[in-house]
Amino acid sequence: MAGKPKPMSQIKQLLILHRQGQGIKAIARSLSMSRNTVKTYLFKLEKLLSDPAGDLSADQILGMEEPEIYHLFHPGNPSYKDTRYEHFKSLLDYFLKELRRTGVTRALLWEEYRQSRPDGYGYSQFCHHLDQHSSTKGKPSLRLEHAPGEKLYIDFAGKTIPYIDRETGELIQCQLFVACLPFSDYSFAMAVPSQTLEDFLYALACCLEFLGGVTQILVPDNFKAAVVKADRYEPDLNRALEDFASHYGMAVVPTRAAKPKDKARVENQVKILYSRVYAKLRNRQFFDLYSLNEAIRIQLRAHNQTRMKQKGYCREEQFLASEKPLLNPLPTERFELRHHTELTLSQNNHVYLARDKHYYSAPHTLIGKKLKVIYTRSMVQLYYQGKKVAAHVRNFKAGGYSTVRDHLCSQHQHYRDRSPDYYRNLAAKKSPVLGQYVSKLFEQNRYPEQLYKTCDGLLSLFRKADLGTFEKACQLGIDHGEYSYRFIKNVLANHTAHEDHSEPEKPLPPHRNVRGKEYYQQQKLQF
């Protein structure tokens, strides 16, 4: 009986024919068996019936199921009763432990085994028994049940996917972001420049827009962009990922470290995409990231629309029918990555954001205080004791200042507000004559900033002097074309503002050298 065992249904027929009194030749002819095979099974039957420990009858054997009958007639391989196996079995745990060490192979262990026992197993039997023992040592695997629209598994593929820089010809390797919904196995993939936080969150936002909704739970792997510190029970999530999840209304539940079975669905998707995306694009050239992602999107659509072998539908059909209606709606605005830092408000009324090399103002009353700064791609917001004290549009100009006037003290506000129009308007409000005098002052061919202190001096004199006297002094300056602080100050100090400064008209002395208008109207001069 070295050949393949007969089906147990035939063995039952053999037992029934034997009970009916049929001979070996007749049984062999009826069941298309050799006579030796019939003899062997009948010999085993007699041995089973005569065994006092078994206490079996032919009727009991016929009432058994086929696997039970098979076990009775084929109890096991005699090789496990070999003395060599007992010695080999004692070394199995040692072999498995050694295989975990660097550089240790099965061939090396077999050579050492044969040196210690020359009559031991050959290499093929050595590997066979080693595999048998390894499979029994494996832990059982649980099939996870997934609710529709509940979880989104995300990961990065282990292999990169490239495009060519059009200008330099350099091959740019990109990371492939992969996500899938475990209930329908509906997948998303996108190439990004790196696994950095910014690229990761951008790809994740694109994924949710691709799905057209938000799942309840996000299940990332333990890469640094998602998990700062891995832990079996309480992993430390990246602050930016927490902000992202809060914005979209999701809970983040990372997988256990070094436990790929926790996200087996997305791991399987990565393997499938190696053949359905990587392999199909291997002979094509792309010259920018956009065209590469367009090609990936086409292959991904074909993958999601391919009918699964063991199911009568494709991934996209299952997603649209069972999962998409259960997804939460997307927020009205896309998430912007938020960065957090603490900065001290310096004496110049600004905090310095080193990332942009730019300065942003805050109220002067907080000089020397530590402010909490939260900045996104578009905005910079400053907080003190939980209260927002300033908000600026983010500016990437290195060395520049973004200043809000109200954040400055009154002296600094006045200094920043100085301009010719500022002084003209202010003087005109004080006095029309002063306004006219200041306007004439700025009409001089001098740089405006040189006259700001002159205007401050004039306003100071205005506050101290009598209004009528001051206006007379200004009018005197206008009449004589004298526009300076010192002139007005001297007039007020010498009390000459009210004096009559007009010169009396003196008649010409009598003489004969008077030509008259007729002389100047003639065409030819007559002397």
Side-chain angles (χ1 to χ4, degrees), residues 46-86:
E46 291 177 4
K47 191 174 180 180
L48 289 171
L49 295 177
S50 61
D51 186 5
D55 192 21
L56 290 173
S57 64
D59 291 333
Q60 287 177 328
I61 294 175
L62 288 173
M64 292 181 180
E65 296 294 335
E66 291 185 5
E68 294 175 311
I69 298 174
Y70 183 89
H71 179 70
L72 290 175
F73 285 93
H74 302 279
N77 194 333
S79 64
Y80 292 103
K81 300 177 182 179
D82 193 341
T83 56
R84 292 181 301 174
Y85 181 75
E86 294 301 324

mmCIF file of all heavy atoms in Angstrom, residues 46-86:
data_model
loop_
_atom_site.group_PDB
_atom_site.id
_atom_site.type_symbol
_atom_site.label_atom_id
_atom_site.label_comp_id
_atom_site.label_asym_id
_atom_site.label_seq_id
_atom_site.Cartn_x
_atom_site.Cartn_y
_atom_site.Cartn_z
ATOM 1 N N GLU A 46 -9.303 -6.791 10.418
ATOM 2 C CA GLU A 46 -9.228 -7.859 11.422
ATOM 3 C C GLU A 46 -8.416 -7.393 12.637
ATOM 4 O O GLU A 46 -8.750 -7.710 13.778
ATOM 5 C CB GLU A 46 -8.603 -9.112 10.810
ATOM 6 C CG GLU A 46 -9.484 -9.781 9.769
ATOM 7 C CD GLU A 46 -8.796 -10.979 9.127
ATOM 8 O OE1 GLU A 46 -7.672 -11.312 9.573
ATOM 9 O OE2 GLU A 46 -9.372 -11.540 8.190
ATOM 10 N N LYS A 47 -7.362 -6.635 12.370
ATOM 11 C CA LYS A 47 -6.521 -6.138 13.471
ATOM 12 C C LYS A 47 -7.298 -5.166 14.345
ATOM 13 O O LYS A 47 -7.185 -5.174 15.585
ATOM 14 C CB LYS A 47 -5.280 -5.464 12.888
ATOM 15 C CG LYS A 47 -4.215 -5.139 13.926
ATOM 16 C CD LYS A 47 -2.963 -4.607 13.247
ATOM 17 C CE LYS A 47 -1.893 -4.288 14.293
ATOM 18 N NZ LYS A 47 -0.646 -3.750 13.660
ATOM 19 N N LEU A 48 -8.123 -4.322 13.721
ATOM 20 C CA LEU A 48 -8.927 -3.364 14.496
ATOM 21 C C LEU A 48 -10.001 -4.073 15.306
ATOM 22 O O LEU A 48 -10.262 -3.716 16.470
ATOM 23 C CB LEU A 48 -9.578 -2.333 13.550
ATOM 24 C CG LEU A 48 -8.652 -1.306 12.894
ATOM 25 C CD1 LEU A 48 -9.404 -0.520 11.823
ATOM 26 C CD2 LEU A 48 -8.110 -0.349 13.951
ATOM 27 N N LEU A 49 -10.635 -5.069 14.689
ATOM 28 C CA LEU A 49 -11.721 -5.760 15.391
ATOM 29 C C LEU A 49 -11.197 -6.631 16.523
ATOM 30 O O LEU A 49 -11.902 -6.862 17.521
ATOM 31 C CB LEU A 49 -12.520 -6.605 14.400
ATOM 32 C CG LEU A 49 -13.273 -5.820 13.307
ATOM 33 C CD1 LEU A 49 -13.958 -6.780 12.340
ATOM 34 C CD2 LEU A 49 -14.300 -4.889 13.925
ATOM 35 N N SER A 50 -9.972 -7.132 16.364
ATOM 36 C CA SER A 50 -9.414 -8.020 17.394
ATOM 37 C C SER A 50 -8.686 -7.268 18.499
ATOM 38 O O SER A 50 -8.277 -7.877 19.484
ATOM 39 C CB SER A 50 -8.445 -9.022 16.753
ATOM 40 O OG SER A 50 -7.356 -8.323 16.136
ATOM 41 N N ASP A 51 -8.502 -5.983 18.345
ATOM 42 C CA ASP A 51 -7.789 -5.190 19.357
ATOM 43 C C ASP A 51 -8.711 -4.974 20.556
ATOM 44 O O ASP A 51 -9.753 -4.314 20.441
ATOM 45 C CB ASP A 51 -7.367 -3.846 18.765
ATOM 46 C CG ASP A 51 -6.502 -3.036 19.731
ATOM 47 O OD1 ASP A 51 -6.163 -3.562 20.820
ATOM 48 O OD2 ASP A 51 -6.171 -1.879 19.399
ATOM 49 N N PRO A 52 -8.367 -5.517 21.736
ATOM 50 C CA PRO A 52 -9.262 -5.352 22.904
ATOM 51 C C PRO A 52 -9.354 -3.915 23.386
ATOM 52 O O PRO A 52 -10.365 -3.504 23.951
ATOM 53 C CB PRO A 52 -8.598 -6.257 23.953
ATOM 54 C CG PRO A 52 -7.183 -6.381 23.548
ATOM 55 C CD PRO A 52 -7.170 -6.329 22.051
ATOM 56 N N ALA A 53 -8.273 -3.122 23.142
ATOM 57 C CA ALA A 53 -8.289 -1.714 23.599
ATOM 58 C C ALA A 53 -9.248 -0.887 22.765
ATOM 59 O O ALA A 53 -9.852 0.078 23.242
ATOM 60 C CB ALA A 53 -6.891 -1.121 23.540
ATOM 61 N N GLY A 54 -9.431 -1.279 21.487
ATOM 62 C CA GLY A 54 -10.281 -0.479 20.615
ATOM 63 C C GLY A 54 -11.747 -0.727 20.855
ATOM 64 O O GLY A 54 -12.558 0.199 20.800
ATOM 65 N N ASP A 55 -12.120 -2.014 21.090
ATOM 66 C CA ASP A 55 -13.513 -2.390 21.341
ATOM 67 C C ASP A 55 -14.430 -1.873 20.234
ATOM 68 O O ASP A 55 -15.417 -1.172 20.462
ATOM 69 C CB ASP A 55 -13.964 -1.867 22.709
ATOM 70 C CG ASP A 55 -15.288 -2.489 23.139
ATOM 71 O OD1 ASP A 55 -15.619 -3.571 22.607
ATOM 72 O OD2 ASP A 55 -15.986 -1.879 23.977
ATOM 73 N N LEU A 56 -14.051 -2.184 18.951
ATOM 74 C CA LEU A 56 -14.826 -1.747 17.804
ATOM 75 C C LEU A 56 -15.493 -2.927 17.138
ATOM 76 O O LEU A 56 -14.988 -4.065 17.163
ATOM 77 C CB LEU A 56 -13.915 -1.041 16.790
ATOM 78 C CG LEU A 56 -13.353 0.327 17.182
ATOM 79 C CD1 LEU A 56 -12.335 0.809 16.145
ATOM 80 C CD2 LEU A 56 -14.457 1.348 17.325
ATOM 81 N N SER A 57 -16.635 -2.646 16.507
ATOM 82 C CA SER A 57 -17.323 -3.649 15.699
ATOM 83 C C SER A 57 -17.431 -3.125 14.273
ATOM 84 O O SER A 57 -17.223 -1.940 14.000
ATOM 85 C CB SER A 57 -18.725 -3.916 16.257
ATOM 86 O OG SER A 57 -19.530 -2.742 16.158
ATOM 87 N N ALA A 58 -17.729 -3.999 13.333
ATOM 88 C CA ALA A 58 -17.865 -3.613 11.924
ATOM 89 C C ALA A 58 -18.992 -2.601 11.740
ATOM 90 O O ALA A 58 -18.875 -1.666 10.928
ATOM 91 C CB ALA A 58 -18.097 -4.844 11.067
ATOM 92 N N ASP A 59 -20.073 -2.771 12.499
ATOM 93 C CA ASP A 59 -21.180 -1.814 12.374
ATOM 94 C C ASP A 59 -20.765 -0.414 12.848
ATOM 95 O O ASP A 59 -21.170 0.594 12.258
ATOM 96 C CB ASP A 59 -22.380 -2.307 13.188
ATOM 97 C CG ASP A 59 -23.007 -3.549 12.581
ATOM 98 O OD1 ASP A 59 -22.879 -3.706 11.349
ATOM 99 O OD2 ASP A 59 -23.608 -4.335 13.335
ATOM 100 N N GLN A 60 -19.990 -0.383 13.920
ATOM 101 C CA GLN A 60 -19.528 0.921 14.415
ATOM 102 C C GLN A 60 -18.625 1.608 13.388
ATOM 103 O O GLN A 60 -18.707 2.815 13.173
ATOM 104 C CB GLN A 60 -18.784 0.737 15.733
ATOM 105 C CG GLN A 60 -19.681 0.407 16.901
ATOM 106 C CD GLN A 60 -18.897 0.148 18.179
ATOM 107 O OE1 GLN A 60 -17.768 -0.348 18.129
ATOM 108 N NE2 GLN A 60 -19.503 0.490 19.319
ATOM 109 N N ILE A 61 -17.764 0.823 12.750
ATOM 110 C CA ILE A 61 -16.869 1.404 11.729
ATOM 111 C C ILE A 61 -17.679 1.931 10.560
ATOM 112 O O ILE A 61 -17.420 3.020 10.043
ATOM 113 C CB ILE A 61 -15.846 0.344 11.276
ATOM 114 C CG1 ILE A 61 -14.908 -0.008 12.442
ATOM 115 C CG2 ILE A 61 -15.043 0.861 10.094
ATOM 116 C CD1 ILE A 61 -13.944 -1.127 12.132
ATOM 117 N N LEU A 62 -18.688 1.166 10.131
ATOM 118 C CA LEU A 62 -19.508 1.627 9.003
ATOM 119 C C LEU A 62 -20.312 2.877 9.364
ATOM 120 O O LEU A 62 -20.678 3.672 8.488
ATOM 121 C CB LEU A 62 -20.453 0.511 8.566
ATOM 122 C CG LEU A 62 -19.798 -0.660 7.839
ATOM 123 C CD1 LEU A 62 -20.803 -1.778 7.618
ATOM 124 C CD2 LEU A 62 -19.215 -0.185 6.490
ATOM 125 N N GLY A 63 -20.606 3.076 10.649
ATOM 126 C CA GLY A 63 -21.368 4.255 11.063
ATOM 127 C C GLY A 63 -20.539 5.506 11.237
ATOM 128 O O GLY A 63 -21.081 6.591 11.469
ATOM 129 N N MET A 64 -19.219 5.356 11.106
ATOM 130 C CA MET A 64 -18.335 6.522 11.269
ATOM 131 C C MET A 64 -18.299 7.367 10.001
ATOM 132 O O MET A 64 -18.618 6.900 8.894
ATOM 133 C CB MET A 64 -16.916 6.045 11.616
ATOM 134 C CG MET A 64 -16.783 5.402 12.976
ATOM 135 S SD MET A 64 -15.061 4.903 13.270
ATOM 136 C CE MET A 64 -15.189 4.207 14.904
ATOM 137 N N GLU A 65 -17.883 8.624 10.193
ATOM 138 C CA GLU A 65 -17.654 9.510 9.047
ATOM 139 C C GLU A 65 -16.325 9.145 8.382
ATOM 140 O O GLU A 65 -15.446 8.504 8.979
ATOM 141 C CB GLU A 65 -17.618 10.973 9.495
ATOM 142 C CG GLU A 65 -18.928 11.477 10.064
ATOM 143 C CD GLU A 65 -20.036 11.531 9.020
ATOM 144 O OE1 GLU A 65 -19.712 11.639 7.812
ATOM 145 O OE2 GLU A 65 -21.220 11.421 9.407
ATOM 146 N N GLU A 66 -16.169 9.567 7.135
ATOM 147 C CA GLU A 66 -14.998 9.176 6.345
ATOM 148 C C GLU A 66 -13.666 9.604 6.987
ATOM 149 O O GLU A 66 -12.708 8.817 6.981
ATOM 150 C CB GLU A 66 -15.119 9.737 4.932
ATOM 151 C CG GLU A 66 -16.234 9.075 4.144
ATOM 152 C CD GLU A 66 -16.272 9.538 2.703
ATOM 153 O OE1 GLU A 66 -15.349 10.301 2.309
ATOM 154 O OE2 GLU A 66 -17.202 9.164 1.974
ATOM 155 N N PRO A 67 -13.533 10.828 7.569
ATOM 156 C CA PRO A 67 -12.263 11.182 8.201
ATOM 157 C C PRO A 67 -11.910 10.267 9.371
ATOM 158 O O PRO A 67 -10.730 9.950 9.581
ATOM 159 C CB PRO A 67 -12.487 12.620 8.673
ATOM 160 C CG PRO A 67 -13.541 13.143 7.788
ATOM 161 C CD PRO A 67 -14.447 11.980 7.525
ATOM 162 N N GLU A 68 -12.932 9.803 10.109
ATOM 163 C CA GLU A 68 -12.661 8.919 11.243
ATOM 164 C C GLU A 68 -12.190 7.545 10.760
ATOM 165 O O GLU A 68 -11.268 6.940 11.330
ATOM 166 C CB GLU A 68 -13.931 8.766 12.091
ATOM 167 C CG GLU A 68 -14.373 10.054 12.766
ATOM 168 C CD GLU A 68 -15.682 9.909 13.505
ATOM 169 O OE1 GLU A 68 -16.642 9.380 12.913
ATOM 170 O OE2 GLU A 68 -15.735 10.321 14.670
ATOM 171 N N ILE A 69 -12.807 7.067 9.679
ATOM 172 C CA ILE A 69 -12.396 5.774 9.119
ATOM 173 C C ILE A 69 -10.974 5.873 8.571
ATOM 174 O O ILE A 69 -10.153 4.957 8.736
ATOM 175 C CB ILE A 69 -13.387 5.317 8.025
ATOM 176 C CG1 ILE A 69 -14.784 5.128 8.614
ATOM 177 C CG2 ILE A 69 -12.899 4.058 7.334
ATOM 178 C CD1 ILE A 69 -15.849 4.813 7.576
ATOM 179 N N TYR A 70 -10.684 7.002 7.911
ATOM 180 C CA TYR A 70 -9.337 7.196 7.358
ATOM 181 C C TYR A 70 -8.292 7.123 8.473
ATOM 182 O O TYR A 70 -7.224 6.517 8.314
ATOM 183 C CB TYR A 70 -9.279 8.536 6.643
ATOM 184 C CG TYR A 70 -7.941 8.807 5.980
ATOM 185 C CD1 TYR A 70 -7.707 8.392 4.667
ATOM 186 C CD2 TYR A 70 -6.914 9.450 6.663
ATOM 187 C CE1 TYR A 70 -6.480 8.616 4.055
ATOM 188 C CE2 TYR A 70 -5.690 9.685 6.067
ATOM 189 C CZ TYR A 70 -5.472 9.272 4.758
ATOM 190 O OH TYR A 70 -4.253 9.484 4.169
ATOM 191 N N HIS A 71 -8.586 7.744 9.600
ATOM 192 C CA HIS A 71 -7.640 7.743 10.711
ATOM 193 C C HIS A 71 -7.426 6.323 11.267
ATOM 194 O O HIS A 71 -6.319 5.978 11.703
ATOM 195 C CB HIS A 71 -8.143 8.663 11.823
ATOM 196 C CG HIS A 71 -7.242 8.697 13.020
ATOM 197 N ND1 HIS A 71 -5.998 9.301 12.998
ATOM 198 C CD2 HIS A 71 -7.392 8.180 14.267
ATOM 199 C CE1 HIS A 71 -5.432 9.178 14.177
ATOM 200 N NE2 HIS A 71 -6.258 8.485 14.977
ATOM 201 N N LEU A 72 -8.488 5.483 11.230
ATOM 202 C CA LEU A 72 -8.336 4.116 11.714
ATOM 203 C C LEU A 72 -7.429 3.289 10.817
ATOM 204 O O LEU A 72 -6.578 2.522 11.280
ATOM 205 C CB LEU A 72 -9.704 3.438 11.814
ATOM 206 C CG LEU A 72 -10.644 3.939 12.928
ATOM 207 C CD1 LEU A 72 -12.000 3.252 12.818
ATOM 208 C CD2 LEU A 72 -10.037 3.680 14.302
ATOM 209 N N PHE A 73 -7.613 3.427 9.510
ATOM 210 C CA PHE A 73 -6.849 2.603 8.573
ATOM 211 C C PHE A 73 -5.489 3.215 8.208
ATOM 212 O O PHE A 73 -4.626 2.502 7.705
ATOM 213 C CB PHE A 73 -7.675 2.387 7.298
ATOM 214 C CG PHE A 73 -8.785 1.403 7.477
ATOM 215 C CD1 PHE A 73 -10.060 1.817 7.832
ATOM 216 C CD2 PHE A 73 -8.569 0.032 7.310
ATOM 217 C CE1 PHE A 73 -11.093 0.910 8.002
ATOM 218 C CE2 PHE A 73 -9.590 -0.876 7.482
ATOM 219 C CZ PHE A 73 -10.865 -0.446 7.826
ATOM 220 N N HIS A 74 -5.339 4.532 8.455
ATOM 221 C CA HIS A 74 -4.051 5.193 8.165
ATOM 222 C C HIS A 74 -3.649 6.012 9.391
ATOM 223 O O HIS A 74 -3.791 7.241 9.415
ATOM 224 C CB HIS A 74 -4.187 6.114 6.936
ATOM 225 C CG HIS A 74 -4.645 5.390 5.708
ATOM 226 N ND1 HIS A 74 -3.794 4.656 4.914
ATOM 227 C CD2 HIS A 74 -5.886 5.278 5.144
ATOM 228 C CE1 HIS A 74 -4.477 4.122 3.905
ATOM 229 N NE2 HIS A 74 -5.758 4.495 4.025
ATOM 230 N N PRO A 75 -3.181 5.356 10.436
ATOM 231 C CA PRO A 75 -2.926 6.052 11.700
ATOM 232 C C PRO A 75 -1.786 7.052 11.671
ATOM 233 O O PRO A 75 -1.725 7.930 12.502
ATOM 234 C CB PRO A 75 -2.610 4.910 12.663
ATOM 235 C CG PRO A 75 -2.105 3.814 11.795
ATOM 236 C CD PRO A 75 -2.851 3.927 10.498
ATOM 237 N N GLY A 76 -0.886 6.951 10.705
ATOM 238 C CA GLY A 76 0.212 7.920 10.676
ATOM 239 C C GLY A 76 1.405 7.369 9.947
ATOM 240 O O GLY A 76 1.477 6.197 9.577
ATOM 241 N N ASN A 77 2.384 8.288 9.743
ATOM 242 C CA ASN A 77 3.597 7.930 9.022
ATOM 243 C C ASN A 77 4.563 7.224 9.967
ATOM 244 O O ASN A 77 4.903 7.765 11.015
ATOM 245 C CB ASN A 77 4.256 9.202 8.464
ATOM 246 C CG ASN A 77 5.319 8.863 7.433
ATOM 247 O OD1 ASN A 77 5.912 7.795 7.478
ATOM 248 N ND2 ASN A 77 5.527 9.788 6.505
ATOM 249 N N PRO A 78 5.022 6.040 9.628
ATOM 250 C CA PRO A 78 5.952 5.318 10.504
ATOM 251 C C PRO A 78 7.267 6.053 10.724
ATOM 252 O O PRO A 78 7.998 5.729 11.644
ATOM 253 C CB PRO A 78 6.200 3.998 9.757
ATOM 254 C CG PRO A 78 5.083 3.868 8.794
ATOM 255 C CD PRO A 78 4.674 5.258 8.438
ATOM 256 N N SER A 79 7.563 7.058 9.886
ATOM 257 C CA SER A 79 8.845 7.752 10.044
ATOM 258 C C SER A 79 8.924 8.470 11.382
ATOM 259 O O SER A 79 10.021 8.672 11.908
ATOM 260 C CB SER A 79 9.029 8.763 8.909
ATOM 261 O OG SER A 79 8.043 9.765 8.972
ATOM 262 N N TYR A 80 7.804 8.886 11.959
ATOM 263 C CA TYR A 80 7.830 9.565 13.239
ATOM 264 C C TYR A 80 8.144 8.617 14.398
ATOM 265 O O TYR A 80 8.329 9.052 15.512
ATOM 266 C CB TYR A 80 6.503 10.286 13.491
ATOM 267 C CG TYR A 80 6.293 11.447 12.550
ATOM 268 C CD1 TYR A 80 5.434 11.331 11.471
ATOM 269 C CD2 TYR A 80 6.991 12.633 12.730
ATOM 270 C CE1 TYR A 80 5.264 12.382 10.596
ATOM 271 C CE2 TYR A 80 6.815 13.699 11.859
ATOM 272 C CZ TYR A 80 5.960 13.566 10.795
ATOM 273 O OH TYR A 80 5.800 14.610 9.928
ATOM 274 N N LYS A 81 8.155 7.306 14.102
ATOM 275 C CA LYS A 81 8.532 6.325 15.119
ATOM 276 C C LYS A 81 10.009 5.954 14.997
ATOM 277 O O LYS A 81 10.500 5.120 15.745
ATOM 278 C CB LYS A 81 7.652 5.087 14.980
ATOM 279 C CG LYS A 81 6.161 5.376 15.152
ATOM 280 C CD LYS A 81 5.326 4.140 14.940
ATOM 281 C CE LYS A 81 3.843 4.457 15.069
ATOM 282 N NZ LYS A 81 2.986 3.252 14.843
ATOM 283 N N ASP A 82 10.668 6.560 14.026
ATOM 284 C CA ASP A 82 12.092 6.303 13.818
ATOM 285 C C ASP A 82 12.891 6.892 14.973
ATOM 286 O O ASP A 82 12.583 7.986 15.478
ATOM 287 C CB ASP A 82 12.520 6.942 12.489
ATOM 288 C CG ASP A 82 13.887 6.448 12.046
ATOM 289 O OD1 ASP A 82 14.632 5.935 12.886
ATOM 290 O OD2 ASP A 82 14.187 6.588 10.836
ATOM 291 N N THR A 83 13.955 6.173 15.393
ATOM 292 C CA THR A 83 14.806 6.678 16.483
ATOM 293 C C THR A 83 15.498 7.974 16.092
ATOM 294 O O THR A 83 15.787 8.817 16.949
ATOM 295 C CB THR A 83 15.850 5.613 16.852
ATOM 296 O OG1 THR A 83 16.605 5.264 15.677
ATOM 297 C CG2 THR A 83 15.177 4.367 17.417
ATOM 298 N N ARG A 84 15.773 8.151 14.813
ATOM 299 C CA ARG A 84 16.401 9.404 14.360
ATOM 300 C C ARG A 84 15.493 10.603 14.634
ATOM 301 O O ARG A 84 15.961 11.699 14.914
ATOM 302 C CB ARG A 84 16.718 9.323 12.858
ATOM 303 C CG ARG A 84 17.781 8.343 12.480
ATOM 304 C CD ARG A 84 18.027 8.360 10.987
ATOM 305 N NE ARG A 84 16.829 8.046 10.226
ATOM 306 C CZ ARG A 84 16.746 8.113 8.900
ATOM 307 N NH1 ARG A 84 17.801 8.486 8.189
ATOM 308 N NH2 ARG A 84 15.633 7.803 8.285
ATOM 309 N N TYR A 85 14.181 10.383 14.519
ATOM 310 C CA TYR A 85 13.252 11.493 14.740
ATOM 311 C C TYR A 85 13.255 11.948 16.190
ATOM 312 O O TYR A 85 13.135 13.141 16.478
ATOM 313 C CB TYR A 85 11.843 11.089 14.318
ATOM 314 C CG TYR A 85 10.840 12.205 14.514
ATOM 315 C CD1 TYR A 85 10.815 13.287 13.641
ATOM 316 C CD2 TYR A 85 9.940 12.184 15.575
ATOM 317 C CE1 TYR A 85 9.914 14.323 13.818
ATOM 318 C CE2 TYR A 85 9.047 13.222 15.767
ATOM 319 C CZ TYR A 85 9.037 14.290 14.882
ATOM 320 O OH TYR A 85 8.166 15.314 15.066
ATOM 321 N N GLU A 86 13.367 10.984 17.114
ATOM 322 C CA GLU A 86 13.390 11.360 18.528
ATOM 323 C C GLU A 86 14.587 12.253 18.828
ATOM 324 O O GLU A 86 14.479 13.240 19.559
ATOM 325 C CB GLU A 86 13.432 10.093 19.392
ATOM 326 C CG GLU A 86 12.186 9.232 19.301
ATOM 327 C CD GLU A 86 10.935 9.989 19.719
ATOM 328 O OE1 GLU A 86 11.016 10.822 20.658
ATOM 329 O OE2 GLU A 86 9.869 9.768 19.101
#
